[in-house]
Amino acid sequence: MSTENQVEEQVIETAQIDALANANVAPESFDWDSFESGLDEADRKEKAELEQMYDTTLEDLNENEVFKGQVVRITDKEAIVDINFKSEGVISLNEFRYNSDLKVGDIVEVMVDQREDKNGQLILSHKKARTLNAWDAVNKAHDSQDIVNGYIKARTKGGMIVDVFGIEAFLPGSQIDVKPIRDYEQFVGKTMEFKVVKINPEFKNVVVSHKALIEADIEVQKKEIVAQLEKGQVLEGEVKNITSYGVFVDLGGVDGLIHITDLSWSRINHPSEILEDGQKINVVILDFDEDKSRIQLGIKQLEAHPWDALNAEIKVGDKVKGKVVVLADYGAFVEVAPGVEGLIHVSEMSWSTHLRSAQDFVKVGDEVEAVVLTLDREERKMSLGIKQLTPDPWTDITVKYPVGSSHKGKVRNFTNFGVFVELEEGVDGLIYISDLSWTKKIKHPSEFCAVDDVLDVVVLELDVEARRLSLGHKQLTENPWDKYETKYAVGTTHTGVAVDVFDKGATVQFEDQEVEAFAPARTLDKEDGSRVKKGEEISFKVIEFNKEFRRVVVSHTATFREEEVKAEKSSNNNNNNNNSSNNTIETSTLGDIDSLAELKKKMEEGGN
């Protein structure tokens, strides 16, 4: 025991002894309570009764409990509130900023913030009480899905800040309305109805939605609308979304689609040409699926079909004017009246037989004149023609292009067997490859000319019914083989060059460059026993000549051997007896037969 405690006990004991001595009473009968409190027994009893009464009038101050208090005084900075405690509490006026009408006598809800500050003052909080009550109300609204009112305080990233029961809740931008919102500022400062859709107690976050209320109303309306839908029914709607293929329309909670082809009887490129977002329009129900979740709408069906208003006097053969609205490779669609179109097939754009793309003749937006070729009002189809506006060039073809007449034409295209030449638009003729040149051996027409070249031609044949012209180019000049027939007659001798020597024989070139002869291998022996070599210039005797196939066969050996001459005469006699046009010397070896056969084949290929 410490010295101080010992001293204190000694002092108390001395005081008790002095009190006993002064009272002249025995220690066991001395009234120690009266001595310590300074009150006699009656006074002490009265004091106990008063304390009990006081305790029952004061509430137990639980810091987690909300109390009601009365404002008894308001200073510049604080509100003094009586909550029936032993002392009055103090609340900063900042907590009453939302209530500018606060006055003495008002009842407010408070919570104990601090039992005693450094001055022994009870500190209360009105904000805490409001927040606690607000959280209770928010949780209750969330659980019961009740509708609450909220004040939109400000815009924030991704949405808005809403005051609900004094709590700042978050309103996502996507939850403001069923339609996308572009201007958030229009909602700031407004009081709206919301549903509490999410609460995070840990982070004290609250999310509210106005869209949920709209969707609930829409769902009710949707069921009512869907139940009453009928084909042909006309409804009012609002343009909700415009796409390249059509327009979505809100029918009051139910969306329908107007395909671009059902917007107008006239052809359009994009729905935005006739409608805009938010526009109120009347639509007709064209079709829907079994559960009515996909609704097909139309606008043009509310108007009479343009074909019904088409001039009844228009008939096949009439001329009409219109605007090109669509182009395709196969033709052009021309609008001859609002919503009434006719097709000009590419084959009806020109008398030319060379089919081209419609873009070569017209373009979108062109104003054109055309002739009605077919007209079916029931099927609502019309075909038009442009070429019919000009005379058919084949009408007087026999006068313009008689057989034997000469003309100029443009090369249009090639085939393996010839060249197509255009004399004028709509009049084409064919030059067979064999009619291109008297002398040149042409394997393909591209070796002789090019597309778009201008050629001189002569009309060889004309078939009006089949619209077919046969042309020639070589016929414009004399056939040089007419004079070669005399010059290179069988038995004549000429000097030539062996331009090529091979196993079967040799190719011989004479002074006339276009005349090329063949010398069989056995006819290449020279008088000294050697053979003709490639590039050697030497004399040759003609042993065969064929003008039709432009074929010449020669022999060097025949120039010095009599028997070759005799064989030549014998061959000529045989050919004359058989009325043959081929003048050949009979050969006695299979090698010569093969060589001549090969030469014939080469000549025929060159001629074709």
Side-chain angles (χ1 to χ4, degrees), residues 348-452:
E348 304 298 340
M349 292 183 173
S350 170
W351 290 110
S352 175
T353 57
H354 301 286
L355 291 182
R356 289 171 279 174
S357 174
Q359 287 89 338
D360 296 333
F361 300 95
V362 294
K363 61 181 182 295
V364 174
D366 282 354
E367 296 286 343
V368 298
E369 186 178 32
V371 175
V372 178
L373 302 181
T374 63
L375 178 62
D376 189 334
R377 294 180 181 271
E378 292 184 1
E379 294 293 328
R380 294 169 176 168
K381 291 181 179 180
M382 179 189 302
S383 63
L384 307 172
I386 294 178
K387 72 181 185 182
Q388 289 77 10
L389 297 172
T390 58
D392 184 351
W394 280 81
T395 302
D396 56 352
I397 194 72
T398 56
V399 176
K400 295 169 65 176
Y401 302 102
V403 174
S405 60
S406 299
H407 308 274
K408 290 185 180 293
K410 181 181 286 188
V411 176
R412 281 299 186 186
N413 60 291
F414 301 128
T415 67
N416 289 331
F417 52 83
V419 181
F420 282 99
V421 177
E422 185 180 60
L423 300 180
E424 65 173 272
E425 186 172 301
V427 179
D428 290 351
L430 173 64
I431 306 176
Y432 282 99
I433 196 168
S434 59
D435 289 321
L436 287 172
S437 174
W438 291 113
T439 58
K440 292 182 179 179
K441 296 178 180 179
I442 303 170
K443 294 182 178 179
H444 191 274
S446 59
E447 300 174 6
F448 183 81
C449 57
V451 173
D452 291 335

Side-chain angles (χ1 to χ4, degrees), residues 32-240:
W32 294 103
D33 292 335
S34 297
F35 172 74
E36 292 177 355
S37 63
L39 298 175
D40 57 19
E41 184 176 355
D43 291 337
R44 291 200 306 274
K45 184 176 181 181
E46 183 179 356
K47 178 183 177 183
E49 291 175 354
L50 289 173
E51 287 179 349
Q52 184 177 4
M53 290 175 60
Y54 185 73
D55 290 339
T56 56
T57 59
L58 290 178
E59 299 179 4
D60 186 16
L61 293 183
N62 186 349
E63 293 184 358
N64 295 321
E65 189 175 348
V66 177
F67 300 94
K68 290 187 180 295
Q70 185 178 31
V71 179
V72 295
R73 190 167 69 257
I74 299 176
T75 67
D76 292 340
K77 296 182 179 181
E78 298 171 332
I80 311 303
V81 180
D82 181 12
I83 60 170
N84 290 329
F85 193 56
K86 61 183 179 180
S87 63
E88 296 169 342
V90 177
I91 302 175
S92 172
L93 287 180
N94 287 335
E95 298 191 19
F96 293 98
R97 281 183 298 181
Y98 75 95
N99 185 3
S100 59
D101 298 329
L102 183 69
K103 60 184 180 298
V104 174
D106 285 352
I107 303 298
V108 296
E109 292 182 330
V110 298
M111 290 182 67
V112 176
D113 191 31
Q114 194 174 352
R115 286 180 177 272
E116 290 184 359
D117 62 5
K118 60 182 180 179
N119 298 321
Q121 181 68 56
L122 175 64
I123 306 300
L124 303 177
S125 173
H126 176 61
K127 183 178 179 180
K128 282 186 176 181
R130 288 185 67 225
T131 301
L132 184 61
N133 286 339
W135 272 101
D136 289 341
V138 165
N139 279 283
K140 182 179 178 181
H142 178 260
D143 295 339
S144 62
Q145 288 295 290
D146 289 341
I147 298 174
V148 299
N149 289 325
Y151 174 78
I152 300 178
K153 297 174 63 176
R155 179 179 176 179
T156 188
K157 183 178 180 181
M160 315 289 287
I161 298 297
V162 182
D163 187 327
V164 179
F165 299 122
I167 293 176
E168 289 188 347
F170 178 58
L171 171 63
S174 61
Q175 295 299 313
I176 298 176
D177 204 338
V178 290
K179 298 181 292 185
I181 301 298
R182 293 185 175 90
D183 181 16
Y184 284 66
E185 296 297 334
Q186 62 178 311
F187 296 98
V188 177
K190 290 185 177 180
T191 298
M192 298 172 63
E193 292 183 333
F194 301 96
K195 268 191 176 183
V196 180
V197 294
K198 187 177 181 180
I199 294 177
N200 189 327
E202 182 179 356
F203 297 102
K204 299 294 183 182
N205 290 337
V206 178
V207 179
V208 295
S209 171
H210 180 69
K211 177 182 176 181
L213 298 178
I214 300 176
E215 289 177 336
D217 294 338
I218 288 176
E219 193 62 32
V220 174
Q221 296 174 14
K222 182 176 179 180
K223 291 180 180 179
E224 295 176 355
I225 293 173
V226 169
Q228 300 173 4
L229 287 182
E230 294 180 1
K231 292 181 182 179
Q233 186 178 10
V234 178
L235 299 173
E236 183 182 44
E238 180 178 342
V239 176
K240 183 177 181 181

Side-chain angles (χ1 to χ4, degrees), residues 293-349:
S293 60
R294 294 184 179 179
I295 305 171
Q296 183 181 344
L297 307 174
I299 292 181
K300 72 179 186 182
Q301 289 79 5
L302 296 173
E303 302 174 357
H305 199 290
W307 272 84
D308 298 335
L310 183 64
N311 190 340
E313 297 181 357
I314 294 179
K315 60 185 181 300
V316 173
D318 287 350
K319 294 179 182 180
V320 293
K321 292 184 178 180
K323 183 172 68 173
V324 177
V325 291
V326 173
L327 271 181
D329 289 339
Y330 58 84
F333 288 92
V334 177
E335 188 175 52
V336 298
V340 178
E341 296 177 2
L343 172 64
I344 306 177
H345 193 271
V346 67
S347 62
E348 304 298 340
M349 292 183 173

